[in-house]
Amino acid sequence: MEYKAVLEDPKELERLVYSARSCWEQFLIVDGSLENDTWGNTVTGCTLAIRTCWYRSLAVTLIRRLEVRIDGELIPQEDIYFQVEDNPHVYRLDEIGPEQSEEYWYLNKYGYLHLRKPGGLTKGPHMVEVFLEVFVTYHNYPDATYQKKILVVE
């Protein structure tokens, strides 16, 4: 089944975000965190830091959906990798499953989004959008957060 991005459907984005209980959306995207990634002398993509917007720490397996759009371009799901700060494990979104139920994204740790984008981003400002949906096990509903922010690549 083909993935249908919420960021491409404004009505669904509004429905999910406005039905959620999160009140920390203004903290989702970490200021000053957008930078290009290099492997040797080759720019392979970029990294962006986000914070969980739930009031408790979460098992990584509870991430239901994570989408990123930069300068209007939706980053394909297969090009988004997630890593909790100080954790050596990096997962492509579709690799996150029951095996990560004991790996936690603590409130005081950033979640790093490693975005595969050959050539990376140009220096200067970029419009970044992030949509994060987590499953809240004891409420039996998802919680969705969205933020749009201008970040600068130095």
Side-chain angles (χ1 to χ4, degrees):
M1 185 170 92
E2 187 174 328
Y3 182 83
K4 178 154 172 54
V6 172
L7 285 177
E8 298 292 319
D9 185 347
K11 286 186 179 188
E12 181 65 1
L13 176 64
E14 182 176 350
R15 184 190 73 75
L16 286 169
V17 172
Y18 290 113
S19 68
R21 306 293 192 271
S22 177
C23 60
W24 297 292
E25 359 351 80
Q26 69 270 22
F27 303 113
L28 177 62
I29 299 173
V30 178
D31 287 331
S33 68
L34 185 63
E35 58 185 35
N36 282 324
D37 283 338
T38 58
W39 181 262
N41 293 327
T42 305
V43 178
T44 58
C46 58
T47 296
L48 172 67
I50 61 173
R51 292 181 185 93
T52 178
C53 290
W54 192 244
Y55 74 100
R56 299 177 70 174
S57 298
L58 300 165
V60 171
T61 194
L62 295 178
I63 297 171
R64 286 188 52 165
R65 193 179 341 213
L66 219 165
E67 297 177 3
V68 180
R69 188 163 45 193
I70 299 177
D71 298 329
E73 178 187 342
L74 185 68
I75 306 298
Q77 290 290 287
E78 61 271 13
D79 292 339
I80 301 173
Y81 294 78
F82 180 80
Q83 176 185 23
V84 175
E85 180 181 355
D86 297 333
N87 189 325
H89 300 115
V90 179
Y91 302 102
R92 198 175 63 216
L93 293 182
D94 63 356
E95 295 173 334
I96 295 175
E99 298 82 21
Q100 289 74 42
S101 63
E102 295 191 19
E103 283 191 47
Y104 278 82
W105 182 8
Y106 293 100
L107 294 175
N108 63 339
K109 300 291 182 185
Y110 293 150
Y112 288 105
L113 305 180
H114 300 281
L115 311 172
R116 192 170 50 192
K117 186 173 175 45
L121 298 170
T122 59
K123 289 185 179 194
H126 295 275
M127 180 59 70
V128 177
E129 296 174 76
V130 176
F131 174 79
L132 171 65
E133 184 179 45
V134 297
F135 186 75
V136 182
T137 55
Y138 49 87
H139 286 174
N140 199 26
Y141 64 80
D143 185 81
T145 306
Y146 165 79
Q147 187 179 27
K148 183 176 186 177
K149 184 182 267 191
I150 294 175
L151 297 179
V152 177
V153 173
E154 302 285 328

